[in-house]
Coordinates of all heavy atoms in Angstrom, one line a residue:
M1 N -8.0 35.7 -5.3 CA -6.5 35.4 -5.2 C -6.3 33.9 -5.3 O -7.0 33.1 -4.5 CB -6.0 36.0 -3.9 CG -4.6 35.8 -3.7 SD -3.8 36.6 -2.2 CE -2.8 37.8 -2.9
N2 N -5.5 33.4 -6.0 CA -5.3 32.0 -6.1 C -4.5 31.5 -5.0 O -3.7 32.2 -4.4 CB -4.8 31.7 -7.6 CG -3.3 31.5 -7.8 OD1 -2.6 31.1 -6.9 ND2 -2.8 31.7 -8.9
T3 N -4.7 30.2 -4.7 CA -4.1 29.5 -3.6 C -2.5 29.5 -3.6 O -1.9 29.8 -2.5 CB -4.6 28.1 -3.5 OG1 -6.0 28.1 -3.5 CG2 -4.2 27.4 -2.2
Q4 N -2.0 29.3 -4.8 CA -0.5 29.3 -4.9 C 0.1 30.6 -4.6 O 1.1 30.8 -3.9 CB -0.1 28.8 -6.2 CG 1.4 28.5 -6.4 CD 1.9 27.5 -5.4 OE1 1.2 26.4 -5.2 NE2 3.1 27.7 -4.9
K5 N -0.5 31.7 -5.1 CA -0.1 33.0 -4.8 C -0.1 33.4 -3.4 O 0.9 34.0 -2.7 CB -0.8 33.9 -5.7 CG -0.3 35.4 -5.6 CD -0.9 36.3 -6.6 CE -0.4 37.7 -6.5 NZ -1.2 38.7 -7.4
L6 N -1.2 33.0 -2.7 CA -1.4 33.2 -1.4 C -0.3 32.4 -0.5 O 0.3 33.0 0.4 CB -2.8 32.8 -0.9 CG -3.2 33.1 0.5 CD1 -3.1 34.5 0.9 CD2 -4.6 32.6 0.8
M7 N -0.1 31.2 -0.8 CA 0.9 30.3 -0.2 C 2.2 31.0 -0.3 O 3.0 31.1 0.7 CB 0.9 28.9 -0.7 CG 1.9 28.0 -0.1 SD 1.5 27.5 1.5 CE 0.2 26.3 1.1
N8 N 2.6 31.5 -1.5 CA 4.0 32.1 -1.8 C 4.1 33.4 -0.9 O 5.2 33.6 -0.4 CB 4.2 32.3 -3.2 CG 4.5 31.1 -4.0 OD1 5.0 30.1 -3.4 ND2 4.3 31.1 -5.2
T9 N 3.1 34.1 -0.9 CA 3.1 35.3 -0.1 C 3.3 35.1 1.4 O 4.1 35.7 2.0 CB 1.8 36.2 -0.2 OG1 1.6 36.4 -1.6 CG2 1.8 37.4 0.5
A10 N 2.6 34.0 1.9 CA 2.8 33.7 3.3 C 4.1 33.2 3.6 O 4.8 33.6 4.6 CB 1.7 32.6 3.7
L11 N 4.7 32.3 2.7 CA 6.1 31.7 2.9 C 7.1 32.8 2.8 O 8.1 32.8 3.6 CB 6.3 30.7 2.0 CG 5.6 29.3 2.2 CD1 5.8 28.4 1.1 CD2 5.9 28.7 3.5
N12 N 7.0 33.7 1.9 CA 7.9 34.9 1.7 C 7.9 35.8 2.9 O 8.9 36.2 3.4 CB 7.6 35.7 0.5 CG 8.0 34.9 -0.8 OD1 8.9 34.0 -0.7 ND2 7.4 35.2 -1.9
S13 N 6.7 36.0 3.5 CA 6.6 36.8 4.7 C 7.2 36.1 5.9 O 7.9 36.7 6.8 CB 5.0 37.1 5.1 OG 4.5 37.8 4.1
L14 N 7.1 34.7 6.0 CA 7.7 34.0 7.0 C 9.2 34.1 6.9 O 9.9 34.2 7.9 CB 7.3 32.5 7.0 CG 7.8 31.6 8.0 CD1 7.4 32.0 9.4 CD2 7.5 30.2 7.7
D15 N 9.7 34.0 5.7 CA 11.1 34.0 5.5 C 11.6 35.5 5.9 O 12.7 35.6 6.5 CB 11.5 33.9 4.0 CG 11.4 32.4 3.6 OD1 11.5 31.5 4.5 OD2 11.3 32.1 2.4
E16 N 10.9 36.5 5.5 CA 11.3 37.8 5.9 C 11.3 38.1 7.4 O 12.2 38.6 8.0 CB 10.3 38.9 5.2 CG 10.7 40.3 5.5 CD 12.1 40.7 5.0 OE1 12.6 40.1 4.0 OE2 12.7 41.7 5.6
L17 N 10.3 37.5 8.1 CA 10.2 37.6 9.5 C 11.5 36.9 10.1 O 12.1 37.5 11.0 CB 9.0 36.9 10.1 CG 8.9 36.7 11.6 CD1 8.8 38.2 12.3 CD2 7.6 35.9 12.0
G18 N 11.8 35.8 9.6 CA 13.0 35.0 10.1 C 14.2 35.9 9.9 O 15.1 35.9 10.8
R19 N 14.4 36.5 8.7 CA 15.6 37.3 8.5 C 15.7 38.4 9.4 O 16.8 38.8 9.9 CB 15.6 37.8 7.0 CG 16.1 36.7 6.0 CD 16.3 37.4 4.7 NE 15.1 37.8 4.1 CZ 14.4 36.9 3.2 NH1 14.7 35.7 3.2 NH2 13.2 37.3 2.7
R20 N 14.5 39.1 9.7 CA 14.5 40.3 10.5 C 14.9 39.9 12.0 O 15.7 40.6 12.6 CB 13.2 41.0 10.6 CG 12.8 41.5 9.2 CD 12.9 43.1 9.2 NE 12.6 43.5 7.9 CZ 11.9 44.5 7.7 NH1 11.2 45.2 8.6 NH2 11.7 45.0 6.4
L21 N 14.3 38.8 12.4 CA 14.6 38.4 13.9 C 16.1 38.0 13.9 O 16.8 38.2 14.9 CB 13.8 37.1 14.1 CG 12.3 37.4 14.4 CD1 11.5 36.1 14.6 CD2 12.1 38.4 15.6
D22 N 16.6 37.3 12.8 CA 18.0 37.0 12.8 C 19.0 38.2 12.8 O 20.0 38.2 13.5 CB 18.3 36.2 11.5 CG 19.7 35.4 11.6 OD1 20.0 34.9 12.7 OD2 20.3 35.3 10.6
Q23 N 18.5 39.3 12.2 CA 19.3 40.5 12.2 C 19.4 41.1 13.6 O 20.4 41.7 14.0 CB 18.7 41.5 11.4 CG 18.8 41.4 9.9 CD 18.0 42.4 9.0 OE1 17.3 43.1 9.6 NE2 18.3 42.4 7.7
Y24 N 18.3 40.9 14.5 CA 18.4 41.3 15.8 C 19.0 40.3 16.7 O 19.0 40.6 18.0 CB 16.9 41.7 16.3 CG 16.4 42.9 15.5 CD1 15.3 42.7 14.7 CD2 16.9 44.2 15.6 CE1 14.8 43.8 14.0 CE2 16.5 45.3 15.0 CZ 15.4 45.1 14.1 OH 14.9 46.2 13.5
G25 N 19.4 39.2 16.2 CA 20.1 38.2 17.1 C 19.1 37.4 17.8 O 19.5 36.7 18.8
I26 N 17.8 37.4 17.5 CA 16.8 36.6 18.3 C 16.9 35.2 18.0 O 17.0 34.4 18.8 CB 15.4 37.3 18.1 CG1 15.4 38.7 18.6 CG2 14.4 36.4 18.7 CD1 14.2 39.5 18.3
T27 N 16.8 34.9 16.7 CA 16.8 33.5 16.3 C 17.1 33.3 14.9 O 16.8 34.3 14.1 CB 15.5 32.8 16.7 OG1 15.6 31.4 16.3 CG2 14.3 33.3 15.9
G28 N 17.6 32.2 14.4 CA 17.8 31.9 13.1 C 17.0 30.7 12.6 O 17.3 30.1 11.6
R29 N 16.0 30.4 13.4 CA 15.3 29.1 13.2 C 14.0 29.3 12.7 O 13.2 28.3 12.5 CB 15.2 28.3 14.5 CG 16.6 27.9 15.1 CD 16.5 27.3 16.4 NE 15.4 26.5 16.6 CZ 15.2 25.7 17.7 NH1 16.0 25.7 18.6 NH2 14.2 25.0 17.7
I30 N 13.6 30.5 12.2 CA 12.3 30.7 11.7 C 12.4 30.8 10.2 O 12.9 31.9 9.7 CB 11.6 32.0 12.3 CG1 11.3 31.8 13.7 CG2 10.3 32.2 11.6 CD1 10.7 33.0 14.5
N31 N 12.0 29.8 9.4 CA 12.0 29.9 8.0 C 11.1 28.8 7.5 O 10.5 28.0 8.3 CB 13.4 29.7 7.4 CG 14.1 28.4 7.9 OD1 13.5 27.3 7.8 ND2 15.3 28.5 8.2
R32 N 10.9 28.8 6.2 CA 9.9 27.9 5.6 C 10.3 26.4 5.8 O 9.5 25.5 5.9 CB 9.6 28.2 4.2 CG 10.8 28.0 3.2 CD 10.5 28.3 1.8 NE 10.2 29.7 1.6 CZ 9.6 30.1 0.6 NH1 9.2 29.4 -0.4 NH2 9.4 31.4 0.4
H33 N 11.6 26.1 5.8 CA 12.1 24.7 6.0 C 11.8 24.2 7.3 O 11.3 23.1 7.5 CB 13.6 24.7 5.7 CG 13.9 25.2 4.3 ND1 13.6 24.6 3.1 CD2 14.6 26.4 4.0 CE1 14.0 25.4 2.1 NE2 14.6 26.5 2.6
N34 N 12.0 24.9 8.3 CA 11.7 24.5 9.7 C 10.3 24.4 9.9 O 9.8 23.5 10.7 CB 12.3 25.5 10.8 CG 13.9 25.4 10.8 OD1 14.4 24.4 10.4 ND2 14.5 26.4 11.3
L35 N 9.5 25.3 9.3 CA 8.0 25.2 9.4 C 7.5 24.0 8.7 O 6.7 23.3 9.3 CB 7.3 26.5 8.7 CG 5.8 26.5 8.8 CD1 5.3 26.5 10.2 CD2 5.3 27.6 8.0
A36 N 8.0 23.7 7.6 CA 7.6 22.5 6.9 C 8.0 21.2 7.7 O 7.2 20.2 7.8 CB 8.3 22.4 5.5
A37 N 9.2 21.3 8.3 CA 9.6 20.1 9.2 C 8.7 20.0 10.4 O 8.3 18.8 10.7 CB 11.0 20.2 9.6
F38 N 8.4 21.0 11.0 CA 7.4 21.0 12.1 C 6.0 20.5 11.7 O 5.5 19.6 12.4 CB 7.3 22.4 12.7 CG 6.2 22.5 13.8 CD1 6.6 22.0 15.0 CD2 5.0 23.0 13.6 CE1 5.6 22.1 16.1 CE2 4.1 23.2 14.5 CZ 4.4 22.7 15.8
I39 N 5.5 20.9 10.6 CA 4.3 20.5 10.1 C 4.3 18.9 9.8 O 3.4 18.2 10.2 CB 3.8 21.3 8.9 CG1 3.4 22.7 9.3 CG2 2.6 20.5 8.2 CD1 3.2 23.6 8.2
M40 N 5.3 18.4 9.2 CA 5.5 17.0 8.9 C 5.6 16.2 10.2 O 5.0 15.1 10.3 CB 6.6 16.8 7.9 CG 6.4 17.2 6.5 SD 7.7 16.7 5.4 CE 8.8 18.1 5.5
L41 N 6.3 16.7 11.1 CA 6.5 16.0 12.4 C 5.1 15.9 13.1 O 4.7 14.9 13.6 CB 7.4 16.8 13.3 CG 7.5 16.2 14.8 CD1 8.2 14.8 14.8 CD2 8.3 17.2 15.6
E42 N 4.3 17.0 13.2 CA 3.0 17.0 13.8 C 2.1 16.0 13.0 O 1.3 15.3 13.6 CB 2.4 18.4 13.8 CG 3.1 19.3 14.8 CD 3.1 18.8 16.2 OE1 1.9 18.4 16.7 OE2 4.1 18.8 16.9
Q43 N 2.2 16.0 11.7 CA 1.3 15.2 10.9 C 1.6 13.7 11.2 O 0.6 12.9 11.4 CB 1.5 15.4 9.4 CG 0.7 14.4 8.5 CD 1.1 14.7 7.0 OE1 2.0 15.4 6.7 NE2 0.4 13.9 6.2
K44 N 2.9 13.3 11.4 CA 3.2 11.9 11.6 C 2.8 11.6 13.1 O 2.4 10.5 13.3 CB 4.7 11.7 11.5 CG 5.2 11.8 10.0 CD 4.5 10.7 9.3 CE 5.0 10.8 7.9 NZ 4.3 9.9 6.9
Q45 N 2.8 12.5 14.0 CA 2.4 12.3 15.3 C 0.9 12.1 15.3 O 0.4 11.1 16.0 CB 2.8 13.4 16.3 CG 2.4 13.1 17.7 CD 2.9 14.2 18.7 OE1 3.6 15.2 18.3 NE2 2.4 14.2 19.9
L46 N 0.1 12.8 14.6 CA -1.3 12.6 14.6 C -1.7 11.4 13.8 O -2.6 10.7 14.3 CB -1.9 13.8 13.8 CG -2.0 15.1 14.5 CD1 -2.6 16.2 13.7 CD2 -2.8 15.1 15.8
E47 N -0.9 11.0 12.8 CA -1.1 9.6 12.3 C -0.9 8.6 13.1 O -1.7 7.6 13.2 CB -0.2 9.5 10.9 CG -0.7 10.4 9.8 CD 0.3 10.3 8.7 OE1 1.3 9.6 8.7 OE2 0.1 11.0 7.6
G48 N 0.1 8.7 14.0 CA 0.4 7.6 15.0 C -0.6 7.5 16.0 O -1.1 6.4 16.4
E49 N -1.2 8.7 16.5 CA -2.3 8.7 17.4 C -3.6 8.1 16.8 O -4.2 7.4 17.5 CB -2.6 10.0 18.0 CG -1.4 10.6 18.8 CD -1.7 12.1 19.3 OE1 -2.7 12.6 19.1 OE2 -0.7 12.6 19.9
W50 N -3.8 8.4 15.6 CA -5.0 7.8 14.9 C -4.9 6.3 14.8 O -5.8 5.6 15.0 CB -5.2 8.5 13.5 CG -6.3 7.9 12.8 CD1 -6.2 7.1 11.7 CD2 -7.7 8.0 13.0 NE1 -7.5 6.7 11.3 CE2 -8.5 7.3 12.1 CE3 -8.4 8.8 14.1 CZ2 -9.8 7.3 12.1 CZ3 -9.8 8.7 14.0 CH2 -10.5 8.0 13.1
D51 N -3.7 5.9 14.5 CA -3.4 4.4 14.3 C -3.7 3.8 15.6 O -4.2 2.6 15.7 CB -2.1 4.1 13.9 CG -1.9 4.4 12.3 OD1 -2.9 4.6 11.6 OD2 -0.7 4.5 11.9
S52 N -3.3 4.3 16.7 CA -3.4 3.8 18.1 C -4.9 3.7 18.4 O -5.4 2.8 19.0 CB -2.8 4.6 19.2 OG -2.9 4.3 20.4
I53 N -5.6 4.7 18.1 CA -7.1 4.7 18.3 C -7.7 3.6 17.6 O -8.6 2.9 18.1 CB -7.8 6.1 18.1 CG1 -7.3 7.2 19.1 CG2 -9.3 6.0 18.0 CD1 -7.6 8.6 18.7
Q54 N -7.4 3.5 16.3 CA -7.9 2.5 15.5 C -7.6 1.0 16.0 O -8.5 0.2 16.0 CB -7.4 2.5 14.1 CG -8.0 3.7 13.2 CD -9.4 3.5 13.0 OE1 -10.2 4.3 13.5 NE2 -9.8 2.6 12.2
A55 N -6.4 0.9 16.5 CA -6.1 -0.4 17.1 C -6.9 -0.7 18.3 O -7.3 -1.9 18.5 CB -4.5 -0.5 17.4
K56 N -7.1 0.2 19.1 CA -7.9 0.0 20.3 C -9.3 -0.3 20.0 O -9.9 -1.2 20.6 CB -7.8 1.3 21.3 CG -6.5 1.5 22.0 CD -6.5 2.7 22.7 CE -5.1 3.1 23.3 NZ -5.1 4.3 24.0
F57 N -9.8 0.4 19.0 CA -11.1 0.2 18.6 C -11.4 -1.2 18.1 O -12.2 -1.9 18.4 CB -11.6 1.2 17.5 CG -12.9 1.0 16.9 CD1 -14.1 1.4 17.6 CD2 -13.1 0.4 15.6 CE1 -15.3 1.2 17.1 CE2 -14.4 0.2 15.2 CZ -15.5 0.5 15.9
D58 N -10.4 -1.6 17.2 CA -10.4 -3.0 16.6 C -10.3 -4.0 17.6 O -10.9 -5.1 17.5 CB -9.3 -3.2 15.6 CG -9.5 -2.3 14.3 OD1 -10.6 -1.9 14.0 OD2 -8.5 -2.1 13.6
R59 N -9.5 -3.8 18.7 CA -9.3 -4.8 19.7 C -10.7 -5.0 20.5 O -11.1 -6.0 20.8 CB -8.3 -4.4 20.7 CG -7.9 -5.5 21.8 CD -6.9 -5.1 22.7 NE -7.5 -4.3 23.8 CZ -7.1 -3.3 24.3 NH1 -6.0 -2.6 23.8 NH2 -7.6 -2.6 25.3
R60 N -11.3 -3.8 20.8 CA -12.6 -3.9 21.5 C -13.6 -4.6 20.6 O -14.5 -5.3 21.1 CB -13.1 -2.5 21.9 CG -12.2 -1.8 23.0 CD -12.3 -2.6 24.3 NE -11.4 -1.8 25.2 CZ -11.0 -2.4 26.3 NH1 -11.4 -3.7 26.6 NH2 -10.3 -1.8 27.2
R61 N -13.7 -4.3 19.4 CA -14.6 -4.9 18.5 C -14.4 -6.4 18.4 O -15.4 -7.2 18.5 CB -14.6 -4.3 17.0 CG -15.6 -4.9 16.1 CD -15.6 -4.2 14.7 NE -14.3 -3.9 14.3 CZ -14.1 -3.3 13.2 NH1 -15.0 -3.0 12.4 NH2 -12.8 -3.0 12.8
S62 N -13.2 -6.8 18.4 CA -12.8 -8.2 18.4 C -13.3 -9.0 19.8 O -13.9 -10.0 19.7 CB -11.4 -8.4 18.2 OG -11.0 -9.8 18.4
Q63 N -13.1 -8.2 20.8 CA -13.7 -8.8 22.1 C -15.1 -8.9 22.1 O -15.6 -9.9 22.6 CB -13.2 -7.8 23.2 CG -11.7 -8.0 23.5 CD -11.2 -6.9 24.6 OE1 -11.9 -5.9 24.9 NE2 -10.1 -7.1 25.2
V64 N -15.8 -7.9 21.6 CA -17.3 -7.9 21.5 C -17.8 -9.1 20.7 O -18.7 -9.8 20.9 CB -17.9 -6.6 21.1 CG1 -19.4 -6.7 20.8 CG2 -17.6 -5.5 22.3
D65 N -17.1 -9.1 19.5 CA -17.5 -10.3 18.6 C -17.3 -11.6 19.2 O -18.1 -12.6 19.1 CB -16.7 -10.2 17.3 CG -17.1 -9.0 16.4 OD1 -18.1 -8.4 16.6 OD2 -16.3 -8.7 15.5
G66 N -16.2 -11.8 19.9 CA -15.9 -13.0 20.6 C -17.0 -13.3 21.7 O -17.5 -14.5 21.8
L67 N -17.4 -12.3 22.5 CA -18.4 -12.5 23.4 C -19.8 -12.8 22.8 O -20.4 -13.8 23.3 CB -18.5 -11.1 24.2 CG -19.5 -11.1 25.3 CD1 -19.2 -12.2 26.4 CD2 -19.7 -9.8 26.0
I68 N -20.0 -12.2 21.7 CA -21.3 -12.4 20.9 C -21.3 -13.9 20.5 O -22.3 -14.7 20.6 CB -21.6 -11.6 19.9 CG1 -21.9 -10.1 20.3 CG2 -22.7 -12.1 18.9 CD1 -22.0 -9.1 19.3
N69 N -20.2 -14.4 20.0 CA -20.1 -15.8 19.5 C -20.1 -16.8 20.7 O -20.8 -17.8 20.5 CB -18.8 -16.0 18.8 CG -18.7 -15.3 17.4 OD1 -19.9 -15.0 16.8 ND2 -17.6 -15.0 16.9
R70 N -19.6 -16.5 21.8 CA -19.8 -17.4 23.0 C -21.2 -17.4 23.5 O -21.7 -18.5 23.8 CB -18.9 -16.9 24.2 CG -17.4 -17.4 24.0 CD -16.6 -17.2 25.1 NE -16.1 -15.7 25.1 CZ -15.7 -15.0 26.1 NH1 -15.7 -15.5 27.3 NH2 -15.2 -13.8 25.8
V71 N -21.8 -16.3 23.5 CA -23.2 -16.2 23.9 C -24.1 -17.0 22.9 O -25.0 -17.9 23.3 CB -23.8 -14.9 24.0 CG1 -25.3 -14.8 24.2 CG2 -23.1 -14.1 25.2
R72 N -23.9 -16.9 21.6 CA -24.6 -17.6 20.7 C -24.4 -19.2 20.8 O -25.2 -20.0 20.6 CB -24.2 -17.2 19.2 CG -24.8 -15.9 18.8 CD -24.4 -15.6 17.5 NE -25.0 -14.2 17.0 CZ -24.6 -13.5 16.1 NH1 -23.6 -13.8 15.4 NH2 -25.2 -12.4 15.8
G73 N -23.1 -19.6 21.2 CA -22.8 -20.9 21.4 C -23.6 -21.5 22.5 O -24.0 -22.6 22.5
L74 N -23.7 -20.7 23.6 CA -24.4 -21.1 24.8 C -25.9 -21.3 24.6 O -26.5 -22.1 25.2 CB -24.1 -20.2 26.0 CG -22.7 -20.2 26.5 CD1 -22.5 -19.1 27.5 CD2 -22.3 -21.5 27.1
T75 N -26.4 -20.4 23.8 CA -27.9 -20.4 23.5 C -28.3 -21.3 22.4 O -29.5 -21.6 22.2 CB -28.5 -19.0 23.3 OG1 -27.8 -18.4 22.1 CG2 -28.2 -18.0 24.4
G76 N -27.3 -21.7 21.6 CA -27.6 -22.6 20.5 C -28.1 -21.9 19.3 O -28.7 -22.5 18.3
R77 N -28.0 -20.7 19.2 CA -28.3 -19.9 18.0 C -27.2 -19.8 16.9 O -26.2 -19.7 17.0 CB -28.7 -18.4 18.3 CG -30.1 -18.5 19.1 CD -30.4 -17.0 19.3 NE -31.7 -17.0 20.0 CZ -32.2 -15.8 20.3 NH1 -31.8 -14.7 20.0 NH2 -33.4 -15.9 20.9

């Protein structure tokens, strides 16, 4: 089964689930648009967390490099 056909089937099923729940008055918020918005939000949050980790890592690396340079300056190497 090709990926696009599988994706369309899943999205159509999600839309149908949303319609059925809406018929019963449960919610009108389950659809492919809200799912896509949720996924994009989570992606941006993960990107932000990754950037934060990278910044912390770079700061520590800079501190270690500075310490190594000071030690080299003291030892004359």
